[in-house]
Amino acid sequence: MSKKMISNLLLLLTALIWGSAFVAQKAGAVLEPLTYSAVRTLISAVALVPVVLVLRRARKPEEAPAPEAAAAYRRNTIVGGIVVGVVYSVASGLQQFGIFFDTDAGKAGFITALYIVIVPILGIFIGKKTRLLVWVCVVLGAIGFYLLTMAGKGGGFTLEKGDFFVLLCSVAFSVHILTIDHYSPKADGVALSCIQFFVAGTIFLIGMLLFEKPVLSEILACWFPIIYAGVLSGAVAYTLQIVAQKNADPAQASLILSLESVFAALSGALLMHERMTGIELAGCAVIFAAVILAQLPCKEERLSAK
């Protein structure tokens, strides 16, 4: 398989993990948002430390870059981890605040999914070229998410307090995708992810101590969703995202990652015996179609493959 295909499969796995972890994040909303975010994010960071060490030991001497290149690689990993960590703390924090303020799940899914539209728009300002076909897929993706999370619920659209936080979260996650796209090709992806979580976890921890009153017994009572979200949704999935985006187009990456909501709906149907309406199933079909269309090679790629 090509590097692009492998990257897309890793992004698909990332979306699957995020979608299946939705129940864990919802369960964590019994805690105050900064408290939950601090604990789960620091768990993600700690879980990645042994992975970084093992990969470093497994690296062969002949694979080591030249001293100057190694210094630049290390610098990009550290700086990238800090920058991505700050952006992640904003995006993840806003999302948890939105869930904490009881945003309707359907609206939250649709609003968060707006990053599939925002990423290519922001990409224009940093010189990213996006094919017309991808723009068509962006529109299809937005329609699909509406069918899945809004029309399928039979509700109208009103922007509540929690909805506003999730809307800001969507913008922040768009910046997060583009920031990873900038740093991941020239940094150690796993180490960058680990630094990201330590930086974000520290920010959340400071906020928790300043603005909230964490109760240890409540945190321990919520141990399973915290561990699940921290290890799988955090350490595993976000690391897969960073590694995969080394060879992925950011607009296409955002479309694949947006399947998170589809997998969340499917997980609810399979694990919680929730029934999906015909409109919701149609939304799933439209989103999958958008993702598949976005992967079709352009004319130049078809010619180079001959």
Side-chain angles (χ1 to χ4, degrees):
M1 289 189 292
S2 66
K3 290 183 178 180
K4 181 179 179 181
M5 179 62 69
I6 294 174
S7 293
N8 290 343
L9 289 175
L10 291 177
L11 289 170
L12 185 63
L13 178 58
T14 300
L16 174 60
I17 294 173
W18 283 345
S20 62
F22 179 81
V23 175
Q25 189 172 357
K26 192 70 177 178
V30 298
L31 300 175
E32 291 183 286
L34 293 176
T35 298
Y36 174 80
S37 297
V39 178
R40 68 166 282 194
T41 306
L42 289 174
I43 286 176
S44 299
V46 172
L48 280 176
V49 171
V51 180
V52 173
L53 295 177
V54 169
L55 291 179
R56 186 167 297 176
R57 287 177 178 272
R59 190 174 299 149
K60 299 177 181 179
E62 58 269 22
E63 296 177 348
E68 291 185 3
Y73 195 72
R74 186 165 50 250
R75 182 171 59 253
N76 286 325
T77 299
I78 296 173
V79 174
I82 294 172
V83 174
V84 173
V86 171
V87 177
Y88 171 78
S89 69
V90 174
S92 179
L94 288 170
Q95 185 181 60
Q96 194 61 30
F97 267 99
I99 293 175
F100 180 76
F101 286 118
D102 293 326
T103 296
D104 177 77
K107 290 182 180 179
F110 180 69
I111 297 170
T112 301
L114 286 175
Y115 63 71
I116 69 174
V117 179
I118 299 172
V119 166
I121 293 175
L122 293 180
I124 294 174
F125 297 99
I126 58 176
K128 293 284 184 181
K129 294 182 179 179
T130 302
R131 292 186 295 153
L132 177 61
L133 178 60
V134 175
W135 284 107
V136 173
C137 292
V138 164
V139 175
L140 284 176
I143 293 172
F145 271 108
Y146 178 80
L147 292 173
L148 174 64
T149 62
M150 296 288 292
K153 309 298 180 183
F157 185 89
T158 55
L159 195 64
E160 305 292 344
K161 184 177 183 179
D163 300 337
F164 180 69
F165 279 111
V166 180
L167 179 61
L168 294 178
C169 145
S170 179
V171 177
F173 270 126
S174 301
V175 177
H176 186 253
I177 290 173
L178 291 173
T179 306
I180 289 176
D181 180 67
H182 174 75
Y183 283 105
S184 61
K186 48 191 176 184
D188 182 330
V190 180
L192 186 149
S193 182
C194 185
I195 295 171
Q196 165 191 236
F197 286 121
F198 271 117
V199 170
T202 301
I203 293 173
F204 286 137
L205 183 63
I206 294 173
M208 177 190 77
L209 296 175
L210 289 177
F211 303 110
E212 296 180 353
K213 297 179 179 179
V215 179
L216 181 59
S217 60
E218 294 179 355
I219 295 174
L220 294 176
C222 201
W223 70 271
F224 183 76
I226 290 176
I227 294 293
Y228 187 87
V231 176
L232 278 181
S233 181
V236 175
Y238 275 102
T239 301
L240 286 176
Q241 178 197 8
I242 289 173
V243 173
Q245 279 196 234
K246 285 188 176 183
N247 300 297
D249 175 79
Q252 292 183 9
S254 68
L255 278 169
I256 296 175
L257 293 174
S258 69
L259 289 172
E260 170 191 3
S261 290
V262 178
F263 288 126
L266 293 175
S267 296
L270 293 174
L271 301 177
M272 304 177 68
H273 307 291
E274 297 176 348
R275 300 192 63 175
M276 298 179 69
T277 66
I279 294 179
E280 289 171 328
L281 290 172
C284 291
V286 172
I287 294 167
F288 273 112
V291 172
I292 292 172
L293 286 174
Q295 308 311 310
L296 295 178
C298 62
K299 182 178 180 180
E300 291 77 8
E301 291 175 332
R302 291 196 299 269
L303 291 175
S304 63
K306 292 182 178 180

